[in-house]
Amino acid sequence: MTQRKGEKPTISIQEHMAIDVCPGPIQPIKQISDYFPRYPRGLPPTLPPQAGQVGSLRSAFSSSSAAASESDPARSNEDTPDRACAGAAASQAAKRDEEPDVEGYDSDDSTTLGTLDFSLLYDQENNALHCTINKAKLPVPRYKKGLKPMDHNGLSDPYVKLHLLPGASKANKLRTKTLRNTLNPVWSETLTYYGITDEDMVRKTLRISVCDEDKFRHNEFIGETRIPLKKLKPNQTKNFYNCLEKQLPVNKTEDKSLEERGRIMISLKYNTQKSCLVVGIVRCAHLAAMDANGFSDPYVKTYLKPDENKKSKHKTAVKKKTLNPEFNEEFSYDIKYADLTKKTLEVTVWDYDIGKSNDFIGGVSLGINANGERLKHWFDCLKNKDKKIERWHTLTNELPGSAYND
Protein backbone atom coordinates (compact mmCIF):
# COMPACT_ATOMS: atom_id res chain seq x y z
CA MET A 1 0.00 0.00 0.00
CA THR A 2 1.51 3.29 -1.17
CA GLN A 3 1.07 6.54 0.74
CA ARG A 4 1.01 9.91 -0.95
CA LYS A 5 2.96 12.84 0.40
CA GLY A 6 1.00 14.86 2.98
CA GLU A 7 -1.59 12.16 3.48
CA LYS A 8 -2.24 10.72 6.97
CA PRO A 9 -1.61 7.02 7.37
CA THR A 10 -4.76 4.91 7.57
CA ILE A 11 -5.14 1.76 9.61
CA SER A 12 -7.60 -0.94 8.73
CA ILE A 13 -9.92 -2.48 11.27
CA GLN A 14 -7.96 -5.69 11.15
CA GLU A 15 -4.72 -3.87 11.93
CA HIS A 16 -6.45 -1.96 14.75
CA MET A 17 -7.72 -5.18 16.31
CA ALA A 18 -4.28 -6.69 15.97
CA ILE A 19 -2.70 -3.74 17.70
CA ASP A 20 -5.08 -4.01 20.65
CA VAL A 21 -4.36 -7.65 21.21
CA CYS A 22 -0.65 -7.46 20.63
CA PRO A 23 1.49 -7.84 23.73
CA GLY A 24 3.09 -4.75 25.09
CA PRO A 25 2.73 -2.12 27.79
CA ILE A 26 -0.95 -1.39 28.58
CA GLN A 27 -1.74 2.31 28.85
CA PRO A 28 -4.56 3.36 31.26
CA ILE A 29 -7.68 4.71 29.62
CA LYS A 30 -8.37 8.34 30.49
CA GLN A 31 -11.48 8.91 32.62
CA ILE A 32 -13.47 12.10 33.03
CA SER A 33 -12.33 12.36 36.67
CA ASP A 34 -8.74 12.76 35.45
CA TYR A 35 -9.66 16.20 34.12
CA PHE A 36 -10.82 17.46 37.55
CA PRO A 37 -8.84 17.91 40.78
CA ARG A 38 -9.22 15.14 43.35
CA TYR A 39 -9.94 15.81 47.05
CA PRO A 40 -9.90 13.58 50.14
CA ARG A 41 -13.25 12.01 50.96
CA GLY A 42 -15.56 14.25 53.03
CA LEU A 43 -14.05 17.59 51.96
CA PRO A 44 -16.04 19.86 49.63
CA PRO A 45 -14.40 21.37 46.50
CA THR A 46 -12.88 24.81 47.06
CA LEU A 47 -11.85 27.64 44.86
CA PRO A 48 -8.33 27.46 43.35
CA PRO A 49 -5.65 29.34 45.31
CA GLN A 50 -4.84 32.93 44.46
CA ALA A 51 -1.92 33.88 42.24
CA GLY A 52 0.29 34.85 45.16
CA GLN A 53 -0.47 31.57 46.89
CA VAL A 54 0.35 29.60 43.71
CA GLY A 55 3.72 31.34 43.39
CA SER A 56 4.61 30.64 46.98
CA LEU A 57 3.46 27.06 46.67
CA ARG A 58 5.46 26.55 43.48
CA SER A 59 8.61 28.01 45.06
CA ALA A 60 8.10 25.84 48.11
CA PHE A 61 7.50 22.85 45.87
CA SER A 62 10.61 23.53 43.76
CA SER A 63 12.81 23.63 46.84
CA SER A 64 11.23 20.53 48.34
CA SER A 65 11.28 18.67 45.03
CA ALA A 66 14.92 19.51 44.52
CA ALA A 67 15.75 18.01 47.87
CA ALA A 68 13.57 15.01 47.13
CA SER A 69 15.18 14.49 43.68
CA GLU A 70 18.58 14.25 45.26
CA SER A 71 17.43 11.53 47.64
CA ASP A 72 14.98 9.74 45.31
CA PRO A 73 15.30 10.53 41.59
CA ALA A 74 12.34 8.29 40.66
CA ARG A 75 9.96 10.20 42.92
CA SER A 76 10.74 13.52 41.31
CA ASN A 77 8.99 12.41 38.11
CA GLU A 78 5.73 11.62 39.97
CA ASP A 79 5.09 14.89 41.86
CA THR A 80 3.80 17.95 40.04
CA PRO A 81 3.03 21.53 41.17
CA ASP A 82 -0.68 21.10 40.38
CA ARG A 83 -0.95 18.24 42.85
CA ALA A 84 0.76 20.32 45.52
CA CYS A 85 -1.76 23.12 44.98
CA ALA A 86 -4.64 20.69 45.31
CA GLY A 87 -3.25 19.35 48.59
CA ALA A 88 -2.84 22.84 50.03
CA ALA A 89 -6.38 23.78 49.03
CA ALA A 90 -7.70 20.62 50.67
CA SER A 91 -5.93 21.44 53.96
CA GLN A 92 -7.40 24.94 53.93
CA ALA A 93 -10.88 23.51 53.34
CA ALA A 94 -10.40 21.16 56.28
CA LYS A 95 -9.50 24.10 58.55
CA ARG A 96 -12.55 26.02 57.42
CA ASP A 97 -14.76 23.05 58.27
CA GLU A 98 -13.41 22.99 61.80
CA GLU A 99 -14.32 26.66 62.41
CA PRO A 100 -17.97 27.40 63.35
CA ASP A 101 -20.11 29.02 60.70
CA VAL A 102 -21.48 32.14 62.35
CA GLU A 103 -24.03 32.96 59.65
CA GLY A 104 -25.49 29.48 59.51
CA TYR A 105 -25.41 28.88 63.25
CA ASP A 106 -28.44 27.10 64.63
CA SER A 107 -28.71 26.55 68.37
CA ASP A 108 -30.45 23.61 69.98
CA ASP A 109 -34.09 23.49 71.06
CA SER A 110 -33.39 24.52 74.64
CA THR A 111 -32.29 27.99 73.50
CA THR A 112 -34.94 28.51 70.82
CA LEU A 113 -38.09 27.82 72.86
CA GLY A 114 -38.24 31.35 74.27
CA THR A 115 -38.15 33.15 77.61
CA LEU A 116 -40.97 34.14 79.95
CA ASP A 117 -41.22 37.17 82.23
CA PHE A 118 -43.55 36.66 85.22
CA SER A 119 -43.88 37.31 88.96
CA LEU A 120 -45.32 35.36 91.91
CA LEU A 121 -46.81 36.54 95.20
CA TYR A 122 -48.01 34.36 98.07
CA ASP A 123 -50.69 36.18 100.10
CA GLN A 124 -50.44 34.25 103.35
CA GLU A 125 -53.33 36.06 105.07
CA ASN A 126 -55.83 35.27 102.30
CA ASN A 127 -54.32 31.90 101.35
CA ALA A 128 -53.88 33.01 97.74
CA LEU A 129 -51.09 32.64 95.18
CA HIS A 130 -51.04 35.45 92.60
CA CYS A 131 -49.28 34.66 89.33
CA THR A 132 -48.71 37.65 87.03
CA ILE A 133 -47.76 36.69 83.47
CA ASN A 134 -46.05 39.73 81.95
CA LYS A 135 -44.60 38.88 78.54
CA ALA A 136 -42.39 36.62 76.48
CA LYS A 137 -39.22 38.38 75.37
CA LEU A 138 -36.83 37.85 72.45
CA PRO A 139 -34.67 34.92 73.55
CA VAL A 140 -32.35 34.15 70.63
CA PRO A 141 -29.77 36.55 69.07
CA ARG A 142 -29.04 37.03 65.36
CA TYR A 143 -31.93 36.14 63.09
CA LYS A 144 -34.12 34.16 65.55
CA LYS A 145 -36.35 36.28 67.77
CA GLY A 146 -39.20 35.72 70.16
CA LEU A 147 -40.98 32.45 70.69
CA LYS A 148 -40.42 29.42 68.50
CA PRO A 149 -42.79 29.84 65.52
CA MET A 150 -45.45 27.13 65.33
CA ASP A 151 -47.72 28.24 62.47
CA HIS A 152 -47.10 28.27 58.72
CA ASN A 153 -46.90 32.06 58.70
CA GLY A 154 -43.87 31.93 61.02
CA LEU A 155 -45.88 33.27 63.98
CA SER A 156 -47.79 31.78 66.92
CA ASP A 157 -51.06 32.25 68.80
CA PRO A 158 -49.59 31.86 72.29
CA TYR A 159 -51.27 31.49 75.65
CA VAL A 160 -50.02 30.48 79.11
CA LYS A 161 -51.49 27.81 81.35
CA LEU A 162 -50.66 27.03 84.98
CA HIS A 163 -50.76 23.78 86.96
CA LEU A 164 -49.87 22.92 90.53
CA LEU A 165 -47.79 19.77 90.92
CA PRO A 166 -48.34 17.18 92.19
CA GLY A 167 -51.93 16.82 91.11
CA ALA A 168 -51.91 18.49 87.69
CA SER A 169 -55.46 18.35 86.33
CA LYS A 170 -58.29 20.58 85.22
CA ALA A 171 -59.04 21.20 88.89
CA ASN A 172 -55.99 23.44 89.31
CA LYS A 173 -55.54 24.62 85.73
CA LEU A 174 -55.52 28.34 85.01
CA ARG A 175 -54.82 30.00 81.66
CA THR A 176 -54.39 33.41 80.13
CA LYS A 177 -56.07 34.82 77.07
CA THR A 178 -54.71 33.94 73.63
CA LEU A 179 -52.77 36.55 71.66
CA ARG A 180 -52.92 36.23 67.88
CA ASN A 181 -50.07 36.19 65.35
CA THR A 182 -47.14 37.23 67.50
CA LEU A 183 -43.79 35.96 68.69
CA ASN A 184 -43.49 38.65 71.35
CA PRO A 185 -46.73 38.44 73.37
CA VAL A 186 -47.49 40.84 76.22
CA TRP A 187 -50.22 39.52 78.52
CA SER A 188 -49.91 41.56 81.75
CA GLU A 189 -52.48 39.23 83.24
CA THR A 190 -52.77 37.99 86.85
CA LEU A 191 -54.05 34.49 87.61
CA THR A 192 -54.88 33.58 91.23
CA TYR A 193 -54.93 30.26 93.07
CA TYR A 194 -57.18 30.29 96.13
CA GLY A 195 -56.98 27.96 99.09
CA ILE A 196 -53.17 27.74 99.11
CA THR A 197 -51.83 26.77 102.54
CA ASP A 198 -48.36 26.91 104.05
CA GLU A 199 -48.15 23.15 103.54
CA ASP A 200 -48.75 23.64 99.83
CA MET A 201 -45.97 26.19 99.67
CA VAL A 202 -43.56 23.58 101.01
CA ARG A 203 -44.44 20.57 98.86
CA LYS A 204 -45.98 21.93 95.64
CA THR A 205 -44.42 23.16 92.39
CA LEU A 206 -45.93 25.60 89.91
CA ARG A 207 -45.67 24.54 86.27
CA ILE A 208 -46.02 27.35 83.72
CA SER A 209 -46.50 26.20 80.12
CA VAL A 210 -46.62 28.27 76.94
CA CYS A 211 -48.72 26.78 74.14
CA ASP A 212 -49.83 27.69 70.65
CA GLU A 213 -53.58 27.65 70.08
CA ASP A 214 -54.74 25.92 66.90
CA LYS A 215 -58.37 26.07 65.80
CA PHE A 216 -58.24 23.05 63.53
CA ARG A 217 -55.78 20.78 65.35
CA HIS A 218 -54.59 20.08 68.87
CA ASN A 219 -52.88 22.96 70.60
CA GLU A 220 -49.11 22.71 70.32
CA PHE A 221 -46.68 22.84 73.23
CA ILE A 222 -43.96 25.51 72.98
CA GLY A 223 -42.10 25.31 76.30
CA GLU A 224 -42.45 25.30 80.07
CA THR A 225 -40.75 26.32 83.30
CA ARG A 226 -41.27 25.05 86.86
CA ILE A 227 -40.96 26.96 90.13
CA PRO A 228 -40.91 25.20 93.54
CA LEU A 229 -43.19 27.28 95.76
CA LYS A 230 -40.81 26.93 98.68
CA LYS A 231 -38.62 29.53 96.95
CA LEU A 232 -41.24 32.19 97.66
CA LYS A 233 -41.41 34.21 100.85
CA PRO A 234 -44.83 35.14 102.25
CA ASN A 235 -46.21 38.52 101.16
CA GLN A 236 -43.17 39.28 98.98
CA THR A 237 -43.36 39.55 95.19
CA LYS A 238 -40.62 37.70 93.34
CA ASN A 239 -39.87 38.38 89.68
CA PHE A 240 -38.70 35.69 87.27
CA TYR A 241 -37.20 35.75 83.78
CA ASN A 242 -36.84 32.10 82.85
CA CYS A 243 -35.90 30.23 79.70
CA LEU A 244 -38.56 27.84 78.49
CA GLU A 245 -37.61 24.17 78.47
CA LYS A 246 -38.86 21.00 76.86
CA GLN A 247 -41.83 19.27 78.44
CA LEU A 248 -40.91 17.09 81.40
CA PRO A 249 -42.88 13.97 82.39
CA VAL A 250 -45.23 14.10 85.38
CA ASN A 251 -44.89 11.47 88.08
CA LYS A 252 -48.36 9.93 87.96
CA THR A 253 -47.78 7.61 90.92
CA GLU A 254 -46.99 10.61 93.09
CA ASP A 255 -50.13 12.36 91.86
CA LYS A 256 -52.35 9.44 92.93
CA SER A 257 -50.82 9.20 96.36
CA LEU A 258 -51.43 12.90 96.99
CA GLU A 259 -54.80 13.14 95.27
CA GLU A 260 -57.26 15.54 96.88
CA ARG A 261 -61.01 15.98 96.61
CA GLY A 262 -60.75 19.76 96.68
CA ARG A 263 -61.01 22.61 99.17
CA ILE A 264 -63.76 24.85 100.44
CA MET A 265 -63.75 28.27 102.06
CA ILE A 266 -66.26 28.60 104.90
CA SER A 267 -67.08 31.62 107.07
CA LEU A 268 -68.60 31.36 110.56
CA LYS A 269 -70.19 34.10 112.63
CA TYR A 270 -72.43 34.01 115.68
CA ASN A 271 -74.87 36.92 115.66
CA THR A 272 -75.70 37.81 119.29
CA GLN A 273 -78.55 40.17 118.37
CA LYS A 274 -80.45 37.53 116.40
CA SER A 275 -79.12 34.57 118.39
CA CYS A 276 -78.19 32.66 115.28
CA LEU A 277 -75.18 31.07 113.63
CA VAL A 278 -74.42 32.46 110.18
CA VAL A 279 -72.64 30.00 107.89
CA GLY A 280 -71.13 31.37 104.70
CA ILE A 281 -70.15 29.22 101.72
CA VAL A 282 -67.66 31.45 99.93
CA ARG A 283 -66.03 29.31 97.25
CA CYS A 284 -64.42 25.98 96.39
CA ALA A 285 -61.10 25.28 94.71
CA HIS A 286 -59.50 22.33 92.88
CA LEU A 287 -62.58 20.12 93.10
CA ALA A 288 -62.41 16.57 91.78
CA ALA A 289 -63.81 16.16 88.26
CA MET A 290 -66.86 13.88 88.27
CA ASP A 291 -68.20 14.27 84.72
CA ALA A 292 -66.91 12.81 81.46
CA ASN A 293 -65.99 16.27 80.16
CA GLY A 294 -63.42 16.66 82.94
CA PHE A 295 -65.51 19.08 84.98
CA SER A 296 -68.29 19.03 87.58
CA ASP A 297 -71.54 20.88 88.24
CA PRO A 298 -70.98 21.51 91.96
CA TYR A 299 -73.27 22.71 94.70
CA VAL A 300 -72.93 22.69 98.52
CA LYS A 301 -75.22 21.42 101.29
CA THR A 302 -74.95 22.25 104.99
CA TYR A 303 -76.35 20.48 108.07
CA LEU A 304 -76.24 21.40 111.74
CA LYS A 305 -76.37 18.13 113.68
CA PRO A 306 -77.83 16.57 115.65
CA ASP A 307 -80.94 17.61 113.75
CA GLU A 308 -84.01 16.00 115.28
CA ASN A 309 -86.55 17.86 113.13
CA LYS A 310 -84.43 17.51 109.93
CA LYS A 311 -84.85 21.18 109.12
CA SER A 312 -81.22 22.24 109.16
CA LYS A 313 -80.51 21.41 105.54
CA HIS A 314 -79.48 24.31 103.28
CA LYS A 315 -78.30 24.13 99.70
CA THR A 316 -76.50 26.55 97.39
CA ALA A 317 -77.15 27.12 93.70
CA VAL A 318 -75.55 24.80 91.14
CA LYS A 319 -72.51 26.14 89.29
CA LYS A 320 -72.20 24.63 85.82
CA LYS A 321 -69.04 23.10 84.39
CA THR A 322 -66.45 24.33 86.84
CA LEU A 323 -63.99 22.97 89.37
CA ASN A 324 -63.44 26.31 91.09
CA PRO A 325 -66.95 27.62 91.83
CA GLU A 326 -67.65 30.85 93.67
CA PHE A 327 -70.90 30.84 95.68
CA ASN A 328 -70.88 33.71 98.23
CA GLU A 329 -74.06 32.47 99.92
CA GLU A 330 -74.96 32.58 103.62
CA PHE A 331 -77.35 30.49 105.73
CA SER A 332 -78.65 31.16 109.24
CA TYR A 333 -79.34 28.68 112.02
CA ASP A 334 -81.41 29.88 115.00
CA ILE A 335 -79.61 28.46 117.99
CA LYS A 336 -78.61 29.53 121.48
CA TYR A 337 -74.97 30.31 122.02
CA ALA A 338 -74.63 27.71 124.78
CA ASP A 339 -75.92 24.97 122.50
CA LEU A 340 -73.14 25.44 119.93
CA THR A 341 -70.78 23.31 121.98
CA LYS A 342 -73.10 20.34 121.38
CA LYS A 343 -73.49 20.85 117.61
CA THR A 344 -71.53 19.76 114.56
CA LEU A 345 -71.66 21.57 111.24
CA GLU A 346 -71.44 19.22 108.28
CA VAL A 347 -70.66 20.69 104.86
CA THR A 348 -70.79 18.49 101.75
CA VAL A 349 -70.05 19.22 98.09
CA TRP A 350 -71.94 17.40 95.33
CA ASP A 351 -71.91 17.12 91.56
CA TYR A 352 -75.36 17.70 90.05
CA ASP A 353 -76.47 15.16 87.42
CA ILE A 354 -79.68 15.04 85.39
CA GLY A 355 -81.54 11.74 85.31
CA LYS A 356 -79.36 9.97 87.87
CA SER A 357 -78.20 10.31 91.44
CA ASN A 358 -75.83 13.15 92.22
CA ASP A 359 -72.15 12.34 92.84
CA PHE A 360 -70.52 13.03 96.18
CA ILE A 361 -67.31 15.05 95.77
CA GLY A 362 -66.21 15.63 99.37
CA GLY A 363 -67.09 17.05 102.75
CA VAL A 364 -65.86 18.51 106.01
CA SER A 365 -67.15 18.61 109.63
CA LEU A 366 -66.69 21.53 112.01
CA GLY A 367 -67.45 21.21 115.71
CA ILE A 368 -66.32 20.19 119.15
CA ASN A 369 -65.49 16.68 117.92
CA ALA A 370 -63.33 17.86 115.02
CA ASN A 371 -59.57 18.28 115.11
CA GLY A 372 -56.82 20.40 113.60
CA GLU A 373 -57.86 23.48 111.64
CA ARG A 374 -61.52 22.46 111.73
CA LEU A 375 -61.59 22.45 115.52
CA LYS A 376 -59.62 25.71 115.67
CA HIS A 377 -62.08 27.37 113.29
CA TRP A 378 -65.00 26.36 115.47
CA PHE A 379 -63.35 27.60 118.66
CA ASP A 380 -62.42 30.93 117.02
CA CYS A 381 -66.06 31.42 116.11
CA LEU A 382 -67.15 30.79 119.71
CA LYS A 383 -64.51 33.12 121.14
CA ASN A 384 -65.17 35.99 118.75
CA LYS A 385 -68.88 36.76 118.79
CA ASP A 386 -70.25 38.98 115.99
CA LYS A 387 -67.03 38.54 114.01
CA LYS A 388 -66.83 36.67 110.73
CA ILE A 389 -64.09 34.06 110.71
CA GLU A 390 -63.06 32.62 107.31
CA ARG A 391 -60.96 29.49 106.82
CA TRP A 392 -60.01 27.12 104.03
CA HIS A 393 -60.63 23.42 104.66
CA THR A 394 -59.62 20.32 102.74
CA LEU A 395 -62.49 18.09 101.63
CA THR A 396 -62.44 14.42 102.59
CA ASN A 397 -64.41 11.50 101.20
CA GLU A 398 -65.59 10.32 104.63
CA LEU A 399 -68.55 11.81 106.45
CA PRO A 400 -70.95 10.10 108.87
CA GLY A 401 -74.41 8.77 108.14
CA SER A 402 -77.09 10.45 106.12
CA ALA A 403 -74.89 13.12 104.60
CA TYR A 404 -74.22 10.73 101.74
CA ASN A 405 -77.89 10.22 100.98
CA ASP A 406 -78.71 13.18 98.77
Side-chain angles (χ1 to χ4, degrees), residues 19-315:
I19 290 172
D20 286 344
V21 298
C22 286
I26 301 175
Q27 299 295 330
I29 301 174
K30 289 248 181 184
Q31 298 180 0
I32 192 171
S33 59
D34 294 336
Y35 297 95
F36 296 92
R38 297 182 181 181
Y39 301 97
R41 180 176 296 179
L43 290 177
T46 56
L47 294 175
Q50 302 296 330
Q53 295 179 351
V54 173
S56 61
L57 288 173
R58 284 181 176 173
S59 61
F61 172 77
S62 60
S63 60
S64 60
S65 61
S69 61
E70 294 177 1
S71 59
D72 190 358
R75 186 177 178 182
S76 62
N77 297 329
E78 298 177 358
D79 296 334
T80 60
D82 293 336
R83 185 170 297 180
C85 293
S91 62
Q92 290 179 359
K95 289 181 180 180
R96 277 194 294 268
D97 286 348
E98 293 176 357
E99 297 176 356
D101 186 6
V102 177
E103 296 299 328
Y105 174 80
D106 189 9
S107 56
D108 57 6
D109 289 340
S110 63
T111 59
T112 60
L113 297 181
T115 54
L116 189 65
D117 184 357
F118 61 98
S119 62
L120 301 177
L121 169 64
Y122 172 50
D123 186 352
Q124 189 177 32
E125 183 179 357
N126 297 315
N127 296 104
L129 176 64
H130 303 286
C131 312
T132 301
I133 308 299
N134 297 322
K135 57 186 176 180
K137 287 196 173 183
L138 310 180
V140 182
R142 305 180 185 95
Y143 55 88
K144 287 192 176 181
K145 295 183 178 181
L147 295 178
K148 182 179 179 182
M150 305 298 290
D151 298 339
H152 295 296
N153 59 2
L155 301 174
S156 296
D157 301 324
Y159 67 92
V160 178
K161 62 179 180 180
L162 310 180
H163 287 101
L164 284 176
L165 303 177
S169 64
K170 290 184 178 180
N172 58 35
K173 173 186 172 182
L174 300 176
R175 63 162 287 173
T176 66
K177 58 187 177 183
T178 301
L179 301 182
R180 302 293 178 185
N181 297 326
T182 178
L183 296 181
N184 303 290
V186 178
W187 288 281
S188 299
E189 189 173 344
T190 300
L191 306 175
T192 302
Y193 280 107
Y194 295 98
I196 302 298
T197 62
D198 292 339
E199 181 184 358
D200 294 329
M201 298 300 295
V202 173
R203 68 180 183 90
K204 285 188 176 290
T205 298
L206 178 65
R207 179 174 69 182
I208 307 177
S209 306
V210 182
C211 300
D212 172 59
E213 185 176 286
D214 200 321
K215 293 182 179 179
F216 305 103
R217 298 180 298 175
H218 292 292
N219 296 342
E220 297 183 71
F221 174 84
I222 296 179
E224 72 170 31
T225 182
R226 300 189 182 188
I227 304 296
L229 297 184
K230 60 184 178 182
K231 291 185 176 181
L232 304 180
K233 295 182 179 180
N235 305 318
Q236 293 185 15
T237 302
K238 187 170 183 179
N239 298 315
F240 295 88
Y241 184 73
N242 289 12
C243 293
L244 299 177
E245 302 175 352
K246 293 181 179 180
Q247 190 169 16
L248 301 175
V250 178
N251 192 342
K252 295 183 178 180
T253 57
E254 185 179 9
D255 289 348
K256 291 181 180 179
S257 64
L258 296 173
E259 183 180 2
E260 297 177 353
R261 308 294 294 180
R263 296 179 184 180
I264 186 170
M265 188 178 192
I266 303 173
S267 67
L268 297 178
K269 174 185 175 181
Y270 186 77
N271 191 327
T272 55
Q273 294 181 354
K274 297 182 180 181
S275 298
C276 66
L277 175 67
V278 181
V279 178
I281 305 300
V282 182
R283 67 192 310 154
C284 294
H286 323 323
L287 294 179
M290 308 302 292
D291 296 338
N293 59 4
F295 293 96
S296 295
D297 300 322
Y299 66 94
V300 180
K301 294 193 304 179
T302 63
Y303 297 87
L304 190 61
K305 295 186 175 181
D307 182 17
E308 297 178 357
N309 298 325
K310 297 183 179 180
K311 294 182 179 181
S312 68
K313 175 182 174 181
H314 291 283
K315 186 167 70 173

Side-chain angles (χ1 to χ4, degrees), residues 375-386:
L375 178 61
K376 186 175 183 299
H377 192 186
W378 190 256
F379 275 147
D380 288 343
C381 173
L382 299 180
K383 292 178 182 178
N384 301 277
K385 300 177 183 179
D386 297 317

Side-chain angles (χ1 to χ4, degrees), residues 350-362:
W350 298 80
D351 170 53
Y352 177 76
D353 289 322
I354 300 176
K356 58 179 182 179
S357 60
N358 298 331
D359 299 319
F360 174 73
I361 296 178

